[in-house]
Every structure is written in C-alpha cells, then in structure tokens.
Short mmCIF file of all heavy atoms in Angstrom, two decimals:
data_model
loop_
_atom_site.label_atom_id
_atom_site.label_comp_id
_atom_site.label_asym_id
_atom_site.label_seq_id
_atom_site.Cartn_x
_atom_site.Cartn_y
_atom_site.Cartn_z
N MET A 1 0.87 -1.13 -0.04
CA MET A 1 -0.03 -0.05 -0.02
C MET A 1 0.86 1.21 0.01
O MET A 1 1.70 1.48 0.83
CB MET A 1 -0.78 -0.07 1.29
CG MET A 1 -2.10 0.86 1.28
SD MET A 1 -3.12 0.76 2.66
CE MET A 1 -3.50 -0.95 2.82
N ALA A 2 0.75 2.15 -0.97
CA ALA A 2 1.58 3.28 -1.06
C ALA A 2 0.95 4.47 -0.44
O ALA A 2 -0.23 4.48 -0.36
CB ALA A 2 1.95 3.63 -2.53
N PRO A 3 1.74 5.43 0.01
CA PRO A 3 1.21 6.68 0.58
C PRO A 3 0.46 7.46 -0.52
O PRO A 3 0.57 7.09 -1.76
CB PRO A 3 2.31 7.39 1.08
CG PRO A 3 3.52 6.96 0.39
CD PRO A 3 3.15 5.46 0.01
N LEU A 4 -0.34 8.39 -0.19
CA LEU A 4 -1.04 9.15 -1.16
C LEU A 4 -0.10 9.88 -2.11
O LEU A 4 0.96 10.29 -1.78
CB LEU A 4 -2.01 10.17 -0.51
CG LEU A 4 -3.03 9.56 0.46
CD1 LEU A 4 -3.79 10.63 1.17
CD2 LEU A 4 -3.95 8.69 -0.35
N PRO A 5 -0.46 10.08 -3.32
CA PRO A 5 0.42 10.64 -4.34
C PRO A 5 0.77 12.08 -4.19
O PRO A 5 1.71 12.53 -4.73
CB PRO A 5 -0.34 10.41 -5.63
CG PRO A 5 -1.80 10.26 -5.31
CD PRO A 5 -1.79 9.70 -3.97
N ASN A 6 0.05 12.75 -3.24
CA ASN A 6 0.36 14.26 -3.10
C ASN A 6 1.36 14.58 -1.99
O ASN A 6 1.32 15.68 -1.57
CB ASN A 6 -1.06 14.99 -2.78
CG ASN A 6 -1.94 14.85 -3.91
OD1 ASN A 6 -1.58 14.68 -5.19
ND2 ASN A 6 -3.23 14.84 -3.63
N ALA A 7 2.19 13.64 -1.64
CA ALA A 7 3.14 13.88 -0.56
C ALA A 7 4.04 15.07 -0.86
O ALA A 7 4.49 15.77 -0.04
CB ALA A 7 4.00 12.60 -0.32
N GLY A 8 4.42 15.24 -2.18
CA GLY A 8 5.29 16.44 -2.66
C GLY A 8 4.65 17.74 -2.56
O GLY A 8 5.33 18.77 -2.56
N LEU A 9 3.35 17.78 -2.37
CA LEU A 9 2.64 18.95 -2.25
C LEU A 9 2.51 19.52 -0.77
O LEU A 9 2.13 20.65 -0.57
CB LEU A 9 1.18 18.96 -2.89
CG LEU A 9 1.15 18.52 -4.29
CD1 LEU A 9 -0.33 18.39 -4.70
CD2 LEU A 9 1.83 19.50 -5.17
N VAL A 10 2.95 18.67 0.15
CA VAL A 10 2.84 19.13 1.58
C VAL A 10 3.87 20.08 1.90
O VAL A 10 5.12 19.85 1.73
CB VAL A 10 2.98 17.93 2.45
CG1 VAL A 10 3.04 18.28 3.99
CG2 VAL A 10 1.90 16.86 2.21
N GLN A 11 3.43 21.34 2.32
CA GLN A 11 4.46 22.35 2.53
C GLN A 11 4.27 22.97 3.97
O GLN A 11 5.22 23.63 4.38
CB GLN A 11 4.08 23.67 1.55
CG GLN A 11 4.45 23.20 0.13
CD GLN A 11 5.80 22.80 -0.09
OE1 GLN A 11 6.73 23.50 0.27
NE2 GLN A 11 6.10 21.83 -0.95
N ASN A 12 3.17 22.66 4.68
CA ASN A 12 3.09 23.35 6.04
C ASN A 12 2.43 22.20 6.91
O ASN A 12 2.06 21.17 6.50
CB ASN A 12 2.38 24.62 6.08
CG ASN A 12 0.91 24.44 5.51
OD1 ASN A 12 0.19 23.55 5.92
ND2 ASN A 12 0.56 25.34 4.59
N SER A 13 2.43 22.52 8.20
CA SER A 13 1.95 21.59 9.25
C SER A 13 0.50 21.14 9.02
O SER A 13 0.13 20.01 9.19
CB SER A 13 2.23 22.10 10.56
OG SER A 13 1.52 23.34 10.76
N LEU A 14 -0.42 22.09 8.61
CA LEU A 14 -1.85 21.74 8.46
C LEU A 14 -1.95 20.79 7.27
O LEU A 14 -2.73 19.83 7.34
CB LEU A 14 -2.57 23.03 8.13
CG LEU A 14 -4.08 22.89 7.97
CD1 LEU A 14 -4.64 22.11 9.16
CD2 LEU A 14 -4.75 24.09 7.72
N GLN A 15 -1.21 21.10 6.12
CA GLN A 15 -1.29 20.12 5.07
C GLN A 15 -0.74 18.77 5.40
O GLN A 15 -1.28 17.67 4.97
CB GLN A 15 -0.47 20.71 3.84
CG GLN A 15 -1.08 21.93 3.26
CD GLN A 15 -0.13 22.53 2.26
OE1 GLN A 15 1.09 22.35 2.20
NE2 GLN A 15 -0.74 23.42 1.35
N LEU A 16 0.33 18.70 6.24
CA LEU A 16 0.93 17.48 6.70
C LEU A 16 -0.17 16.71 7.45
O LEU A 16 -0.34 15.57 7.31
CB LEU A 16 2.13 17.76 7.56
CG LEU A 16 2.76 16.44 8.12
CD1 LEU A 16 3.27 15.51 7.03
CD2 LEU A 16 3.93 16.82 9.07
N TYR A 17 -0.86 17.38 8.43
CA TYR A 17 -1.74 16.83 9.31
C TYR A 17 -2.86 16.20 8.45
O TYR A 17 -3.22 14.97 8.71
CB TYR A 17 -2.36 17.92 10.23
CG TYR A 17 -3.28 17.39 11.32
CD1 TYR A 17 -2.79 16.66 12.37
CD2 TYR A 17 -4.67 17.58 11.26
CE1 TYR A 17 -3.52 16.21 13.46
CE2 TYR A 17 -5.46 17.09 12.28
CZ TYR A 17 -4.91 16.41 13.37
OH TYR A 17 -5.73 15.98 14.29
N ARG A 18 -3.39 16.89 7.47
CA ARG A 18 -4.48 16.34 6.61
C ARG A 18 -3.96 15.10 5.80
O ARG A 18 -4.66 14.18 5.72
CB ARG A 18 -4.97 17.44 5.79
CG ARG A 18 -5.79 18.52 6.39
CD ARG A 18 -6.15 19.61 5.46
NE ARG A 18 -6.90 20.65 6.11
CZ ARG A 18 -7.19 21.86 5.62
NH1 ARG A 18 -6.61 22.12 4.39
NH2 ARG A 18 -7.91 22.69 6.29
N TYR A 19 -2.74 15.28 5.27
CA TYR A 19 -2.16 14.19 4.47
C TYR A 19 -2.01 12.90 5.37
O TYR A 19 -2.40 11.91 4.90
CB TYR A 19 -0.89 14.63 3.99
CG TYR A 19 0.00 13.63 3.31
CD1 TYR A 19 -0.23 13.09 2.06
CD2 TYR A 19 0.96 12.86 4.03
CE1 TYR A 19 0.45 12.07 1.46
CE2 TYR A 19 1.69 11.81 3.46
CZ TYR A 19 1.33 11.42 2.16
OH TYR A 19 2.14 10.39 1.58
N LEU A 20 -1.53 13.01 6.55
CA LEU A 20 -1.29 11.84 7.42
C LEU A 20 -2.67 11.28 7.78
O LEU A 20 -2.76 10.01 7.90
CB LEU A 20 -0.54 12.22 8.62
CG LEU A 20 0.93 12.63 8.42
CD1 LEU A 20 1.61 13.13 9.67
CD2 LEU A 20 1.73 11.53 7.73
N LEU A 21 -3.64 12.10 8.07
CA LEU A 21 -4.99 11.44 8.39
C LEU A 21 -5.61 10.86 7.21
O LEU A 21 -6.26 9.77 7.35
CB LEU A 21 -5.87 12.58 8.96
CG LEU A 21 -5.52 13.04 10.36
CD1 LEU A 21 -6.46 14.21 10.72
CD2 LEU A 21 -5.55 12.00 11.36
N ARG A 22 -5.30 11.26 5.98
CA ARG A 22 -5.84 10.58 4.82
C ARG A 22 -5.17 9.30 4.61
O ARG A 22 -5.75 8.33 4.12
CB ARG A 22 -5.67 11.46 3.57
CG ARG A 22 -6.77 12.52 3.43
CD ARG A 22 -6.66 13.20 2.02
NE ARG A 22 -6.74 14.68 2.35
CZ ARG A 22 -5.70 15.50 2.20
NH1 ARG A 22 -4.53 15.11 1.61
NH2 ARG A 22 -5.81 16.79 2.52
N CYS A 23 -3.85 9.23 4.92
CA CYS A 23 -3.12 8.04 4.83
C CYS A 23 -3.70 7.01 5.82
O CYS A 23 -3.87 5.77 5.50
CB CYS A 23 -1.66 8.23 5.09
SG CYS A 23 -0.76 8.96 3.80
N CYS A 24 -4.09 7.36 7.04
CA CYS A 24 -4.65 6.52 8.03
C CYS A 24 -5.91 5.82 7.49
O CYS A 24 -6.23 4.73 7.77
CB CYS A 24 -4.98 7.27 9.33
SG CYS A 24 -3.65 7.64 10.34
N LYS A 25 -6.70 6.51 6.71
CA LYS A 25 -7.94 5.97 6.16
C LYS A 25 -7.68 4.79 5.20
O LYS A 25 -8.54 3.97 5.08
CB LYS A 25 -8.74 7.14 5.33
CG LYS A 25 -9.33 8.17 6.17
CD LYS A 25 -10.08 9.09 5.34
CE LYS A 25 -10.67 10.15 6.33
NZ LYS A 25 -11.43 11.21 5.55
N GLN A 26 -6.58 4.64 4.73
CA GLN A 26 -6.19 3.59 3.85
C GLN A 26 -5.69 2.33 4.53
O GLN A 26 -5.57 1.27 4.04
CB GLN A 26 -5.07 4.01 2.86
CG GLN A 26 -5.50 5.05 1.91
CD GLN A 26 -4.39 5.37 0.90
OE1 GLN A 26 -3.17 4.92 1.11
NE2 GLN A 26 -4.77 6.12 -0.07
N LEU A 27 -5.49 2.41 5.92
CA LEU A 27 -5.01 1.27 6.63
C LEU A 27 -6.11 0.28 6.85
O LEU A 27 -7.32 0.64 6.91
CB LEU A 27 -4.51 1.70 8.03
CG LEU A 27 -3.27 2.63 8.02
CD1 LEU A 27 -2.93 3.30 9.40
CD2 LEU A 27 -2.01 1.83 7.49
N PRO A 28 -5.75 -1.02 6.84
CA PRO A 28 -6.80 -2.05 6.74
C PRO A 28 -7.72 -2.28 7.97
O PRO A 28 -8.83 -2.57 7.79
CB PRO A 28 -6.00 -3.39 6.55
CG PRO A 28 -4.64 -2.98 7.06
CD PRO A 28 -4.39 -1.59 6.97
N GLU A 29 -7.19 -2.09 9.21
CA GLU A 29 -7.97 -2.39 10.41
C GLU A 29 -8.22 -1.10 11.24
O GLU A 29 -7.45 -0.28 11.35
CB GLU A 29 -7.26 -3.39 11.18
CG GLU A 29 -7.08 -4.73 10.46
CD GLU A 29 -6.30 -5.68 11.34
OE1 GLU A 29 -6.42 -5.63 12.63
OE2 GLU A 29 -5.60 -6.60 10.81
N GLU A 30 -9.49 -1.14 11.85
CA GLU A 30 -9.90 0.08 12.58
C GLU A 30 -8.98 0.38 13.73
O GLU A 30 -8.60 1.48 14.00
CB GLU A 30 -11.32 -0.09 13.06
CG GLU A 30 -11.77 1.11 13.83
CD GLU A 30 -11.78 2.44 13.18
OE1 GLU A 30 -11.91 2.48 11.87
OE2 GLU A 30 -11.70 3.48 13.75
N ASN A 31 -8.46 -0.68 14.46
CA ASN A 31 -7.60 -0.50 15.62
C ASN A 31 -6.28 0.03 15.22
O ASN A 31 -5.66 0.87 15.88
CB ASN A 31 -7.56 -1.69 16.45
CG ASN A 31 -6.85 -2.91 15.71
OD1 ASN A 31 -6.81 -2.89 14.48
ND2 ASN A 31 -6.35 -3.88 16.51
N ILE A 32 -5.83 -0.32 14.18
CA ILE A 32 -4.58 0.30 13.56
C ILE A 32 -4.72 1.71 13.16
O ILE A 32 -3.92 2.51 13.48
CB ILE A 32 -4.12 -0.57 12.39
CG1 ILE A 32 -3.61 -2.00 12.77
CG2 ILE A 32 -2.86 0.16 11.69
CD1 ILE A 32 -3.40 -2.86 11.59
N ARG A 33 -5.91 2.05 12.46
CA ARG A 33 -6.24 3.43 12.16
C ARG A 33 -6.26 4.23 13.38
O ARG A 33 -5.71 5.41 13.34
CB ARG A 33 -7.53 3.45 11.35
CG ARG A 33 -7.36 2.94 9.98
CD ARG A 33 -8.57 3.23 9.03
NE ARG A 33 -9.79 2.58 9.52
CZ ARG A 33 -10.16 1.36 9.16
NH1 ARG A 33 -9.65 0.78 8.20
NH2 ARG A 33 -11.31 0.91 9.65
N GLN A 34 -6.96 3.74 14.33
CA GLN A 34 -7.13 4.54 15.61
C GLN A 34 -5.73 4.84 16.28
O GLN A 34 -5.41 5.96 16.78
CB GLN A 34 -7.96 3.86 16.61
CG GLN A 34 -9.40 3.94 16.27
CD GLN A 34 -10.29 3.14 17.23
OE1 GLN A 34 -9.74 2.50 18.09
NE2 GLN A 34 -11.62 3.18 17.04
N HIS A 35 -4.81 3.82 16.21
CA HIS A 35 -3.53 3.96 16.91
C HIS A 35 -2.76 5.04 16.16
O HIS A 35 -2.14 5.95 16.91
CB HIS A 35 -2.75 2.63 16.79
CG HIS A 35 -1.29 2.78 17.09
ND1 HIS A 35 -0.89 2.91 18.48
CD2 HIS A 35 -0.20 2.86 16.38
CE1 HIS A 35 0.46 2.95 18.33
NE2 HIS A 35 0.86 2.88 17.20
N TYR A 36 -2.73 4.99 14.80
CA TYR A 36 -1.92 5.99 14.17
C TYR A 36 -2.48 7.41 14.19
O TYR A 36 -1.79 8.41 14.25
CB TYR A 36 -1.65 5.53 12.63
CG TYR A 36 -0.54 4.50 12.60
CD1 TYR A 36 -0.88 3.13 12.33
CD2 TYR A 36 0.74 4.84 12.94
CE1 TYR A 36 0.16 2.24 12.34
CE2 TYR A 36 1.80 3.90 12.85
CZ TYR A 36 1.48 2.59 12.62
OH TYR A 36 2.48 1.64 12.63
N ARG A 37 -3.89 7.50 14.21
CA ARG A 37 -4.50 8.73 14.35
C ARG A 37 -4.13 9.37 15.64
O ARG A 37 -3.81 10.63 15.70
CB ARG A 37 -6.04 8.67 14.20
CG ARG A 37 -6.47 8.67 12.83
CD ARG A 37 -7.92 8.82 12.72
NE ARG A 37 -8.81 7.92 13.63
CZ ARG A 37 -9.40 6.82 13.04
NH1 ARG A 37 -9.48 6.56 11.83
NH2 ARG A 37 -10.18 6.15 13.94
N HIS A 38 -4.09 8.62 16.81
CA HIS A 38 -3.68 9.09 18.11
C HIS A 38 -2.22 9.55 18.04
O HIS A 38 -1.95 10.60 18.58
CB HIS A 38 -3.93 7.98 19.05
CG HIS A 38 -3.47 8.37 20.46
ND1 HIS A 38 -4.16 9.30 21.25
CD2 HIS A 38 -2.43 8.02 21.21
CE1 HIS A 38 -3.53 9.39 22.30
NE2 HIS A 38 -2.50 8.66 22.43
N ALA A 39 -1.36 8.76 17.43
CA ALA A 39 0.03 9.07 17.31
C ALA A 39 0.30 10.40 16.61
O ALA A 39 1.07 11.16 16.98
CB ALA A 39 0.90 7.90 16.72
N ILE A 40 -0.42 10.58 15.54
CA ILE A 40 -0.43 11.86 14.75
C ILE A 40 -0.77 13.07 15.59
O ILE A 40 0.03 14.04 15.66
CB ILE A 40 -1.20 11.69 13.53
CG1 ILE A 40 -0.66 10.70 12.51
CG2 ILE A 40 -1.38 13.16 12.83
CD1 ILE A 40 -1.63 10.32 11.36
N ARG A 41 -1.89 12.88 16.34
CA ARG A 41 -2.33 14.05 17.20
C ARG A 41 -1.31 14.34 18.13
O ARG A 41 -1.00 15.49 18.54
CB ARG A 41 -3.70 13.65 17.72
CG ARG A 41 -4.88 13.65 16.75
CD ARG A 41 -6.16 13.48 17.41
NE ARG A 41 -7.17 13.44 16.30
CZ ARG A 41 -7.84 12.25 16.06
NH1 ARG A 41 -7.64 11.15 16.75
NH2 ARG A 41 -8.79 12.26 15.15
N GLN A 42 -0.77 13.33 18.86
CA GLN A 42 0.21 13.50 19.88
C GLN A 42 1.42 14.15 19.36
O GLN A 42 1.99 15.08 19.96
CB GLN A 42 0.56 12.17 20.60
CG GLN A 42 -0.52 11.57 21.41
CD GLN A 42 -1.06 12.53 22.52
OE1 GLN A 42 -2.17 13.11 22.39
NE2 GLN A 42 -0.30 12.62 23.51
N SER A 43 1.95 13.75 18.20
CA SER A 43 3.11 14.40 17.59
C SER A 43 2.90 15.87 17.31
O SER A 43 3.84 16.64 17.50
CB SER A 43 3.45 13.67 16.30
OG SER A 43 4.44 12.79 16.39
N PHE A 44 1.69 16.19 16.93
CA PHE A 44 1.35 17.64 16.51
C PHE A 44 1.29 18.38 17.83
O PHE A 44 1.77 19.55 17.84
CB PHE A 44 0.12 17.72 15.72
CG PHE A 44 0.36 17.61 14.32
CD1 PHE A 44 0.44 16.37 13.67
CD2 PHE A 44 0.50 18.75 13.45
CE1 PHE A 44 0.79 16.29 12.23
CE2 PHE A 44 0.77 18.70 12.10
CZ PHE A 44 0.91 17.45 11.55
N LYS A 45 0.84 17.83 18.88
CA LYS A 45 0.84 18.60 20.22
C LYS A 45 2.26 18.82 20.62
O LYS A 45 2.59 19.87 21.16
CB LYS A 45 0.00 17.75 21.21
CG LYS A 45 -1.45 17.73 20.91
CD LYS A 45 -2.19 17.03 21.94
CE LYS A 45 -3.60 17.04 21.65
NZ LYS A 45 -4.40 16.08 22.63
N VAL A 46 3.12 17.82 20.53
CA VAL A 46 4.52 17.93 20.99
C VAL A 46 5.19 19.03 20.22
O VAL A 46 6.06 19.74 20.71
CB VAL A 46 5.24 16.53 20.73
CG1 VAL A 46 6.71 16.71 21.01
CG2 VAL A 46 4.68 15.61 21.87
N HIS A 47 4.99 19.08 18.86
CA HIS A 47 5.73 19.93 18.06
C HIS A 47 4.98 21.37 17.78
O HIS A 47 5.51 22.14 16.95
CB HIS A 47 6.10 19.40 16.66
CG HIS A 47 7.06 18.15 16.79
ND1 HIS A 47 8.36 18.35 17.16
CD2 HIS A 47 6.75 16.87 16.68
CE1 HIS A 47 8.91 17.20 17.14
NE2 HIS A 47 7.93 16.23 16.91
N ALA A 48 3.96 21.58 18.47
CA ALA A 48 3.13 22.87 18.23
C ALA A 48 3.87 24.17 18.52
O ALA A 48 3.58 25.05 17.73
CB ALA A 48 1.92 22.74 19.10
N ASP A 49 4.95 24.15 19.24
CA ASP A 49 5.59 25.28 19.56
C ASP A 49 6.91 25.55 18.72
O ASP A 49 7.61 26.46 18.94
CB ASP A 49 6.03 25.46 21.03
CG ASP A 49 6.78 24.30 21.50
OD1 ASP A 49 6.91 23.31 20.72
OD2 ASP A 49 7.41 24.43 22.63
N GLU A 50 7.05 24.64 17.77
CA GLU A 50 8.29 24.72 16.89
C GLU A 50 8.11 25.91 15.97
O GLU A 50 7.11 26.18 15.28
CB GLU A 50 8.37 23.48 16.00
CG GLU A 50 9.64 23.37 15.30
CD GLU A 50 10.81 23.21 16.21
OE1 GLU A 50 10.87 22.26 16.98
OE2 GLU A 50 11.72 24.04 16.05
N ASN A 51 9.16 26.81 16.01
CA ASN A 51 9.26 28.00 15.26
C ASN A 51 10.27 28.05 14.14
O ASN A 51 10.13 28.82 13.15
CB ASN A 51 9.53 29.26 16.14
CG ASN A 51 8.49 29.54 17.20
OD1 ASN A 51 7.34 29.24 16.91
ND2 ASN A 51 8.86 29.96 18.31
N ASP A 52 11.21 27.22 14.20
CA ASP A 52 12.27 27.34 13.18
C ASP A 52 11.81 26.65 11.85
O ASP A 52 11.48 25.46 11.78
CB ASP A 52 13.52 26.51 13.67
CG ASP A 52 14.60 26.46 12.74
OD1 ASP A 52 14.71 27.25 11.78
OD2 ASP A 52 15.52 25.61 12.91
N PRO A 53 11.72 27.42 10.80
CA PRO A 53 11.20 26.91 9.45
C PRO A 53 12.02 25.72 9.01
O PRO A 53 11.52 24.81 8.39
CB PRO A 53 11.33 28.08 8.48
CG PRO A 53 11.45 29.21 9.38
CD PRO A 53 12.06 28.89 10.65
N GLU A 54 13.35 25.72 9.19
CA GLU A 54 14.19 24.61 8.66
C GLU A 54 13.81 23.24 9.51
O GLU A 54 13.72 22.27 8.91
CB GLU A 54 15.67 24.87 8.81
CG GLU A 54 16.55 23.85 8.32
CD GLU A 54 17.98 24.38 8.38
OE1 GLU A 54 18.26 25.48 8.03
OE2 GLU A 54 18.73 23.44 8.65
N ARG A 55 13.63 23.45 10.81
CA ARG A 55 13.24 22.32 11.63
C ARG A 55 11.94 21.76 11.20
O ARG A 55 11.58 20.62 11.14
CB ARG A 55 13.29 22.69 13.07
CG ARG A 55 12.89 21.62 13.99
CD ARG A 55 13.87 20.45 14.11
NE ARG A 55 13.33 19.48 15.07
CZ ARG A 55 13.26 18.24 14.82
NH1 ARG A 55 13.66 17.73 13.65
NH2 ARG A 55 12.79 17.33 15.78
N ILE A 56 10.96 22.65 11.02
CA ILE A 56 9.63 22.30 10.46
C ILE A 56 9.64 21.46 9.26
O ILE A 56 8.96 20.37 9.15
CB ILE A 56 8.70 23.46 10.42
CG1 ILE A 56 8.52 24.20 11.83
CG2 ILE A 56 7.38 23.09 9.71
CD1 ILE A 56 7.73 25.46 11.67
N GLN A 57 10.48 21.84 8.21
CA GLN A 57 10.67 21.10 7.05
C GLN A 57 11.29 19.76 7.22
O GLN A 57 10.86 18.83 6.58
CB GLN A 57 11.45 21.89 6.00
CG GLN A 57 10.75 23.22 5.52
CD GLN A 57 9.44 22.79 4.82
OE1 GLN A 57 9.31 21.96 4.07
NE2 GLN A 57 8.37 23.53 5.24
N GLN A 58 12.24 19.67 8.27
CA GLN A 58 12.80 18.34 8.64
C GLN A 58 11.70 17.44 9.15
O GLN A 58 11.65 16.32 8.86
CB GLN A 58 13.87 18.59 9.68
CG GLN A 58 15.16 19.16 9.02
CD GLN A 58 16.12 19.53 10.10
OE1 GLN A 58 15.83 19.42 11.31
NE2 GLN A 58 17.35 19.77 9.74
N ILE A 59 10.91 17.97 10.06
CA ILE A 59 9.83 17.26 10.67
C ILE A 59 8.84 16.68 9.65
O ILE A 59 8.33 15.57 9.59
CB ILE A 59 9.12 18.06 11.79
CG1 ILE A 59 10.04 18.32 12.93
CG2 ILE A 59 7.76 17.35 12.22
CD1 ILE A 59 9.53 19.31 13.92
N ILE A 60 8.48 17.60 8.66
CA ILE A 60 7.57 17.20 7.60
C ILE A 60 8.08 16.18 6.79
O ILE A 60 7.42 15.15 6.47
CB ILE A 60 7.03 18.52 6.71
CG1 ILE A 60 6.29 19.50 7.49
CG2 ILE A 60 6.58 18.09 5.40
CD1 ILE A 60 6.03 20.77 6.90
N LYS A 61 9.31 16.32 6.37
CA LYS A 61 10.00 15.26 5.57
C LYS A 61 10.08 13.93 6.29
O LYS A 61 9.72 12.91 5.73
CB LYS A 61 11.47 15.68 5.17
CG LYS A 61 12.20 14.76 4.32
CD LYS A 61 13.52 15.25 3.96
CE LYS A 61 14.19 14.35 3.04
NZ LYS A 61 15.34 13.66 3.64
N ARG A 62 10.37 13.94 7.54
CA ARG A 62 10.46 12.66 8.27
C ARG A 62 9.06 12.03 8.46
O ARG A 62 9.01 10.84 8.34
CB ARG A 62 11.10 12.93 9.66
CG ARG A 62 11.21 11.82 10.54
CD ARG A 62 12.04 10.65 9.88
NE ARG A 62 11.90 9.44 10.57
CZ ARG A 62 12.89 8.89 11.31
NH1 ARG A 62 14.01 9.45 11.35
NH2 ARG A 62 12.54 7.69 11.94
N ALA A 63 8.10 12.95 8.72
CA ALA A 63 6.73 12.39 8.87
C ALA A 63 6.29 11.68 7.54
O ALA A 63 5.58 10.58 7.68
CB ALA A 63 5.79 13.51 9.28
N ILE A 64 6.52 12.26 6.49
CA ILE A 64 6.11 11.67 5.08
C ILE A 64 6.94 10.31 4.89
O ILE A 64 6.33 9.34 4.49
CB ILE A 64 6.34 12.64 4.02
CG1 ILE A 64 5.35 13.79 4.16
CG2 ILE A 64 6.24 11.95 2.64
CD1 ILE A 64 5.54 14.91 3.16
N GLU A 65 8.14 10.27 5.32
CA GLU A 65 8.95 9.00 5.17
C GLU A 65 8.38 8.06 6.15
O GLU A 65 8.30 6.93 5.73
CB GLU A 65 10.41 9.31 5.53
CG GLU A 65 11.22 10.11 4.41
CD GLU A 65 12.53 10.52 4.82
OE1 GLU A 65 12.88 10.29 6.12
OE2 GLU A 65 13.28 11.17 4.05
N ASP A 66 8.11 8.45 7.31
CA ASP A 66 7.43 7.47 8.24
C ASP A 66 6.07 6.83 7.75
O ASP A 66 5.81 5.76 7.91
CB ASP A 66 7.32 8.10 9.64
CG ASP A 66 8.63 8.26 10.29
OD1 ASP A 66 9.66 7.79 9.83
OD2 ASP A 66 8.62 8.98 11.39
N ALA A 67 5.30 7.74 7.13
CA ALA A 67 4.04 7.38 6.61
C ALA A 67 4.23 6.40 5.46
O ALA A 67 3.51 5.44 5.40
CB ALA A 67 3.22 8.59 6.15
N ASP A 68 5.22 6.58 4.70
CA ASP A 68 5.52 5.71 3.57
C ASP A 68 5.88 4.33 4.17
O ASP A 68 5.38 3.38 3.60
CB ASP A 68 6.69 6.32 2.73
CG ASP A 68 7.02 5.47 1.48
OD1 ASP A 68 6.08 4.91 0.90
OD2 ASP A 68 8.29 5.44 1.13
N TRP A 69 6.74 4.38 5.15
CA TRP A 69 7.02 3.11 5.83
C TRP A 69 5.85 2.29 6.42
O TRP A 69 5.75 1.17 6.15
CB TRP A 69 8.08 3.35 6.93
CG TRP A 69 8.68 2.14 7.60
CD1 TRP A 69 9.64 1.29 7.14
CD2 TRP A 69 8.07 1.51 8.79
NE1 TRP A 69 9.68 0.21 8.05
CE2 TRP A 69 8.80 0.37 9.04
CE3 TRP A 69 7.13 1.92 9.72
CZ2 TRP A 69 8.61 -0.47 10.17
CZ3 TRP A 69 6.95 1.17 10.83
CH2 TRP A 69 7.62 0.02 11.08
N VAL A 70 5.03 3.00 7.07
CA VAL A 70 3.79 2.41 7.73
C VAL A 70 2.96 1.87 6.53
O VAL A 70 2.44 0.67 6.70
CB VAL A 70 3.06 3.43 8.55
CG1 VAL A 70 1.62 2.84 8.93
CG2 VAL A 70 3.96 3.77 9.83
N MET A 71 2.76 2.61 5.54
CA MET A 71 1.82 2.14 4.43
C MET A 71 2.41 0.96 3.74
O MET A 71 1.61 0.11 3.11
CB MET A 71 1.61 3.27 3.45
CG MET A 71 0.94 4.53 4.01
SD MET A 71 -0.65 4.19 4.85
CE MET A 71 -1.64 4.05 3.44
N ASN A 72 3.72 0.82 3.59
CA ASN A 72 4.35 -0.37 2.96
C ASN A 72 4.62 -1.53 3.88
O ASN A 72 4.95 -2.60 3.37
CB ASN A 72 5.64 0.10 2.22
CG ASN A 72 5.45 1.00 1.10
OD1 ASN A 72 4.45 0.86 0.42
ND2 ASN A 72 6.24 2.00 1.00
N LYS A 73 4.30 -1.42 5.13
CA LYS A 73 4.64 -2.50 6.16
C LYS A 73 3.67 -3.52 5.89
O LYS A 73 2.58 -3.62 5.52
CB LYS A 73 4.45 -1.80 7.51
CG LYS A 73 4.87 -2.58 8.69
CD LYS A 73 4.95 -1.69 9.83
CE LYS A 73 3.70 -1.89 10.73
NZ LYS A 73 3.91 -1.39 12.06
#
C-alpha cells in the first residue's frame, strides 16, 4: 500500500496533518487506524511550539517518510 500521491505538495503543518490522516484512512484495520491517528495528534501537540522553518521542514520530511514506511509495512 503506497502513501497518497500528493506527498510532494505538503508544505506546512496543516497540510501534513491532513495528509497523514488521509493515509490513516487507507489502513486495513480500525484499531490500527485509531492507533496512528492518536500518534499523529500527539506528535502535533509535541511540536506545536516549533518556530524554526528549517526544523519544521525536517519534521515534515520525516513524517512523510514514516507514513511511507507504515503504508508499505
């Protein structure tokens, strides 16, 4: 299962959040979807005060890579 094709269009945290939640909808089991939705929300709360644009881009890139790994698992 591949991630959604619009990963390259993700430029900010709101777009990333939406992208990751859409990826969750493709997961096969409800309990797995709930787990990853919860993990996504928690990650956003942890990084909510991040101000450095370079660090934000690193986080976005890593989150997309992690989503790719989960979807191919």
